[in-house]
Amino acid sequence: MSGTAAFLFDLDGTLVDSVYNHVRAWHVALREHGLDLSVWRIHRKIGMSGGLFTAQLQRELGRPIDEATLERLRDRHAELFRELSKDVPPLPGAVELLAELTRQQLPWAIATSGRMRTAEPNLRSLGVDPETAIVITRDMVRYAKPDPDLFVEAARRLGTATNGSYVIGDSIWDMYAASRCGALGIGLLSGGYGRDELERAGAMRVFDDPADMLDHLDELAPRAHE
């Protein structure tokens, strides 16, 4: 399957400044359940699938966690995240970048490992209506990142393919997913990962944030200016 190259965006840390809200929410939820994990270790896991997060959490704690506790942790994280995210700002240039892609009739979608209950306030911050825009959440696919299902489904909804499209994200998990579905990975530094880490994970280009990417959009979509 081939088609028009699409811009497939992660959400947290890529379009909205919410990564550390997720970190804080997980940190508090874990501590409330007597599970002590350093903040920096939690940060390294933001963006991966819930199943992989759980596996790594249990490995680092050195003991299994029963499913009932895991479900309570997920619910508490979502509750805390919504409390922290009542006023989540878009990252610099995010709104303008999406508007410019729309103006140039370049297809774009958002694909996030979060479920809609945590994604909704971030989408509202961007002015994105999931009823009219293409937004794929964890609820809609079998596997989340580093598997590519989120981005594959986003491209499918746009009527195109991931092969040759762009996956834009702030974490190594986004770059791994891009590589696995034949997309070109674009890394942003706005989620806390370093340039070298993103490039080693497969990013073909790394920008500071959406504003920096917007400034170089002509390098990524030159046909829009012909």
Side-chain angles (χ1 to χ4, degrees):
M1 180 180 177
S2 62
T4 303
F7 290 75
L8 309 173
F9 291 89
D10 171 52
L11 182 59
D12 296 289
T14 299
L15 294 171
V16 291
D17 200 4
S18 56
V19 165
Y20 296 100
N21 288 3
H22 275 295
V23 173
R24 178 60 177 156
W26 275 119
H27 188 239
V28 172
L30 288 165
R31 293 194 69 181
E32 286 179 351
H33 286 77
L35 304 172
D36 198 8
L37 193 63
S38 299
V39 167
W40 74 270
R41 292 186 182 277
I42 297 171
H43 174 256
R44 310 305 290 179
K45 297 169 180 55
I46 298 301
M48 66 173 61
S49 72
L52 186 55
F53 182 98
T54 298
Q56 291 205 9
L57 174 63
Q58 293 178 111
R59 183 162 59 242
E60 293 198 22
L61 292 171
R63 63 184 177 88
I65 304 173
D66 64 85
E67 186 56 40
T69 300
L70 289 172
E71 188 60 32
R72 288 195 297 273
L73 282 169
R74 285 190 285 264
D75 288 343
R76 183 58 174 148
H77 161 261
E79 180 184 9
L80 289 164
F81 179 77
R82 287 195 298 267
E83 291 175 5
L84 291 167
S85 301
K86 292 176 181 176
D87 184 28
V88 177
L91 282 159
V95 173
E96 294 81 1
L97 175 57
L98 296 181
E100 181 61 18
L101 291 173
T102 300
R103 188 188 71 79
Q104 294 190 26
Q105 298 184 321
L106 296 169
W108 61 268
I110 295 173
T112 174
S113 289
R115 298 180 186 275
M116 185 55 76
R117 61 180 177 175
T118 55
E120 192 275 332
N122 294 340
L123 295 169
R124 186 173 62 245
S125 164
L126 284 169
V128 171
D129 182 355
E131 296 296 322
T132 55
I134 303 297
V135 177
I136 307 301
T137 64
R138 180 66 184 88
D139 319 70
M140 302 176 185
V141 296
R142 184 174 182 183
Y143 297 114
K145 296 174 286 187
D147 287 286
D149 300 33
L150 287 161
F151 299 115
V152 171
E153 178 63 13
R156 188 190 71 79
R157 297 279 187 97
L158 289 170
T160 188
T162 52
N163 189 35
S165 289
Y166 299 104
V167 162
I168 305 98
D170 65 291
S171 76
I172 60 174
W173 315 109
D174 298 303
M175 300 304 103
Y176 291 155
S179 297
R180 291 177 178 181
C181 64
L184 303 171
I186 296 176
L188 301 184
L189 299 176
S190 42
Y193 277 88
R195 183 179 301 274
D196 288 347
E197 292 176 290
L198 293 168
E199 289 177 343
R200 285 198 303 271
M204 58 163 272
R205 292 290 302 273
V206 177
F207 299 109
D208 291 345
D209 55 19
D212 189 25
M213 181 178 165
L214 177 58
D215 285 343
H216 295 86
L217 186 58
D218 59 325
E219 300 170 11
L220 302 171
R223 286 171 297 176
H225 299 279
E226 292 177 357

